Amino acid sequence: MSAVYRFVFSKRIRRKAIEEQMALAIKAAEGAYGRGKVRLNAGYAAADGRAIIDASNRVSERIAEIFTDLITEKFGESSFKVDRVPKRNRT
C-alpha cells in the first residue's frame, strides 16, 4: 500500500517558507542519491500550512526525514504534526 507523509503546521507557515525547506531537503537527497534518481522518485506538494511527501520509496522517505529535521530546526518541534497516511488513488 502506498502512503504519504502529511505535515500540518500549527502556526501559519507560508507556502514559500515550506517550499524553501523542501528545496533544501531535495538538494541534500540529490547529494546522496543523484539528481536523476531524486527527480524520478521524489513526489511532494506544499501549500500554506501543510505539505505532503510521497512515502513509497527510499528516496522520498529520505527527503521526508531531512525535511522533518529542517522544519524542526527552523520552526520548532511543536510547530507541526506529521502522519503517515494511505495515499488516495486517483482514477
Side-chain angles (χ1 to χ4, degrees), residues 69-88:
D69 289 342
L70 290 169
I71 62 175
T72 298
E73 183 68 27
K74 178 126 180 125
F75 306 122
E77 194 167 329
S78 63
S79 70
F80 69 95
K81 180 181 175 190
V82 60
D83 292 302
R84 185 180 172 118
V85 296
K87 185 189 287 186
R88 286 190 253 166

Side-chain angles (χ1 to χ4, degrees), residues 17-67:
I18 294 168
E19 287 178 338
E20 288 170 354
Q21 300 308 303
M22 188 76 71
L24 291 172
I26 290 168
K27 193 70 171 164
E30 286 176 353
Y33 294 103
R35 182 177 290 167
K37 190 164 193 160
V38 169
R39 186 169 182 178
L40 291 171
N41 290 283
Y44 68 93
D48 288 346
R50 60 188 180 201
I52 59 169
I53 300 174
D54 178 40
S56 64
N57 60 72
R58 185 64 194 131
V59 173
S60 291
E61 286 180 347
R62 186 66 183 131
I63 291 169
E65 292 164 356
I66 297 166
F67 180 71

